[in-house]
Amino acid sequence: MPAARRKSKHSGPSPARRWQIISSAIVLPAVLVYMWLSNAWSLFQFRSENPHLLCDSSQAERTSLISLDPLIIYVRDFLSPSEISALLTVAESHFGPSPVYDASARGDTRHQGRTSSTAFLPPSDFPVASCILSRARQFMGTALGPSNTSLSDFSVPQLVRYGPGQKFDVHHDAFPQPRMDQSAGRQYNRMASFFVYLEDDCVDCETWFPHVEPAGIRWGPWDTAKSNETESVMPKSDEYYRNERQGGIMFPPISGNALFWSNLKASGQQDGRVLHAGLPVGEGRKTAMNIWAKRWF
Ligand SMILES: O=C(O)CCC(=O)C(=O)O
Ligand SMILES: [Fe+2]
């Protein structure tokens, strides 16, 4: 046999080399295809479990900043329907004429600017009021301050009710000067307000903040005094505030939702920008809950 032929018979790759070639030509691509397929499968599964691959609508934020300065926050679903019906039931027999604080008399009086009815719900007598105060405390987080440690850091919660023609004229929730808390033996003021809507079956019954004009508001044509029409500033499905022809912002009552705002400047004085009113009810009935957090002095 010629030498050249003999040589070619033995010059092929060794078995180890052949295995190396097979593995790089078949096994490696197979592994890569497998990895790609399994990734694609997981993605497919993820997509079929989350067909829209968008936000989960049940995770919608419940709070909206209306104004940073002064601080005003809108809270959706602050109270559940069952909490609302519990509050309305326990308060029903406790309504009397709404009081107004008279600084010169240093006490509560009646005033023609406030014609609603009020029911006081001391948390010690009304467990539902107590758990709602705890929620308010949670909402306020560390803003209550280190000396605020108990439910007495809130004024006694009140339900306020308006029938046709009843109103609360423009006013401030904080007192002009700190007021004595007799049982605590200390002075306090209402540093923040929660106003929670319970019954909203009424017309012309908004809460109006005449001096708050959030940056995000699109002013209506009336702003130029050319038209009498107000313009909604939110899409219909989310219409929880609207602008007001005379200026400011109006909140129509929506049962369960709450407004939260800060009443005091850092100095402890009233912040005049959060003056507000309960407009005279046209028809129907509005019931809401007042919760005031105290700042001690
Ligand atoms: O009735 C309203 O809309 C506001 C009432 C209010 O401001 C209050 O009770 O202090
Ligand atoms: Fe008020």
Side-chain angles (χ1 to χ4, degrees), residues 108-215:
D108 288 337
T109 59
R110 294 204 56 194
H111 192 277
Q112 59 186 15
R114 190 181 196 196
T115 53
S116 51
S117 308
T118 290
F120 289 87
L121 301 181
S124 46
D125 300 340
F126 297 94
V128 62
S130 160
C131 83
I132 288 160
L133 284 192
S134 304
R135 184 168 309 150
R137 164 180 291 285
Q138 243 178 358
F139 181 89
M140 294 199 65
T142 56
L144 267 182
S147 61
N148 294 59
T149 52
S150 75
L151 287 184
S152 64
D153 295 326
F154 290 87
S155 299
V156 170
Q158 304 175 10
L159 258 51
V160 60
R161 175 168 282 169
Y162 303 79
Q166 295 183 336
K167 56 162 188 177
F168 192 175
D169 287 344
V170 173
H171 64 279
H172 207 292
D173 283 356
F175 310 117
Q177 297 300 327
R179 179 180 179 176
M180 194 65 184
D181 179 321
Q182 297 300 347
S183 54
R186 294 167 76 185
Q187 294 210 309
Y188 75 98
N189 208 337
R190 294 167 173 167
M191 68 182 270
S193 301
F194 292 80
F195 193 66
V196 195
Y197 299 105
L198 309 187
E199 291 186 301
D200 57 9
D201 193 9
C202 54
V203 292
D204 297 335
C205 47
E206 289 96 341
T207 308
W208 177 42
F209 288 73
H211 306 301
V212 175
E213 290 171 3

Side-chain angles (χ1 to χ4, degrees), residues 2-4 11 18 21 32 35 39 56 62 72 82 96 153 161 172-173 186 214 228 268 278-280 287:
S11 66
R18 219 176 285 151
I21 292 168
L32 290 175
M35 284 169 68
N39 265 346
D56 183 347
R62 290 200 300 146
I72 304 181
S82 56
D153 295 326
R161 175 168 282 169
H172 207 292
D173 283 356
R186 294 167 76 185
N228 278 337
L279 297 183
T287 308

